[in-house]
Amino acid sequence: MIIDKIVGNINELDKKEIEKYHMEKVYIESANLTKRVQRLKTDHDREIGIRLRESKDLQAGDILFKDEDNMIIVEIVSDDLLVIKPRSINEMGNIAHQLGNRHLPAQFEGDYMLVQYDYLVEELLEKMEVPFVREERKVEEAFRHIGHNHNE
């Protein structure tokens, strides 16, 4: 089966509507959410190919296939993350500057900054005495590098 478009997202459906479908999931690492072409297996061992026509990232809950009885949805695998909990705007600015110099992609949830685990970043946070925890957590979208060229 080749998937060439995202049909919708399960979060947009009514709970009663969802219950009438046999659900299959494809587990995708967050780093692969940006890939338009990939081969995957569902949790029911069905092989599918994804070749998206649109340049759109996959997201948690995306419906890749839906017929009268069945649905295949995207489930994101947990990432090993550093959840940074700065105590002040000054501390947030300092750590953001340090991580920006390393071109490290980050995401934000409320007052927390999320970065993929890196032992060097962990050492930096400890040295700077910035509060953080390391945990497995699902992110809703891919960590993206922002295009930048120092020669521009």
Side-chain angles (χ1 to χ4, degrees):
M1 173 187 304
I2 303 293
I3 308 294
D4 63 0
K5 66 181 178 186
I6 298 167
V7 179
N9 192 292
I10 198 160
N11 298 316
E12 299 165 353
L13 300 179
D14 180 270
K15 187 176 180 176
K16 287 189 182 231
E17 185 179 355
I18 295 169
E19 290 173 356
K20 67 182 181 179
Y21 289 95
H22 171 262
M23 197 75 63
E24 285 185 66
K25 296 179 180 178
V26 289
Y27 291 91
I28 302 177
E29 294 179 8
S30 67
N32 294 331
L33 294 172
T34 60
K35 293 182 179 178
R36 288 180 39 216
V37 178
Q38 51 189 312
R39 179 174 287 190
L40 303 165
K41 271 192 179 181
T42 70
D43 59 350
H44 290 61
D45 217 30
R46 184 190 328 198
E47 283 199 33
I48 64 169
I50 297 177
R51 188 178 324 140
L52 298 177
R53 286 184 257 159
E54 292 181 41
S55 181
K56 181 179 187 287
D57 292 352
L58 293 170
Q59 295 183 333
D62 276 348
I63 302 168
L64 302 177
F65 171 80
K66 184 169 112 175
D67 64 16
E68 305 82 38
D69 303 312
N70 303 293
M71 195 182 303
I72 299 175
I73 65 165
V74 170
E75 182 77 27
I76 300 174
V77 177
S78 296
D79 278 297
D80 186 6
L81 300 177
L82 293 171
V83 181
I84 304 167
K85 305 174 179 184
R87 294 168 289 224
S88 68
I89 190 73
N90 185 35
E91 195 168 61
M92 174 59 94
N94 284 330
I95 193 61
H97 179 74
Q98 291 289 328
L99 298 178
N101 281 340
R102 290 173 168 78
H103 299 277
L104 192 69
Q107 294 184 22
F108 297 89
E109 286 184 6
D111 293 335
Y112 302 144
M113 179 183 226
L114 309 176
V115 295
Q116 291 173 309
Y117 178 78
D118 180 304
Y119 75 94
L120 293 172
V121 173
E122 184 177 42
E123 288 175 2
L124 173 68
L125 294 169
E126 287 170 349
K127 181 180 174 189
M128 293 178 68
E129 298 180 352
V130 174
F132 73 94
V133 294
R134 180 179 177 183
E135 65 182 46
E136 290 284 322
R137 187 188 283 199
K138 292 181 184 183
V139 294
E140 295 298 313
E141 56 190 49
F143 283 91
R144 297 188 76 87
H145 287 275
I146 296 174
H148 176 72
N149 184 341
H150 285 285
N151 297 326
E152 291 180 355

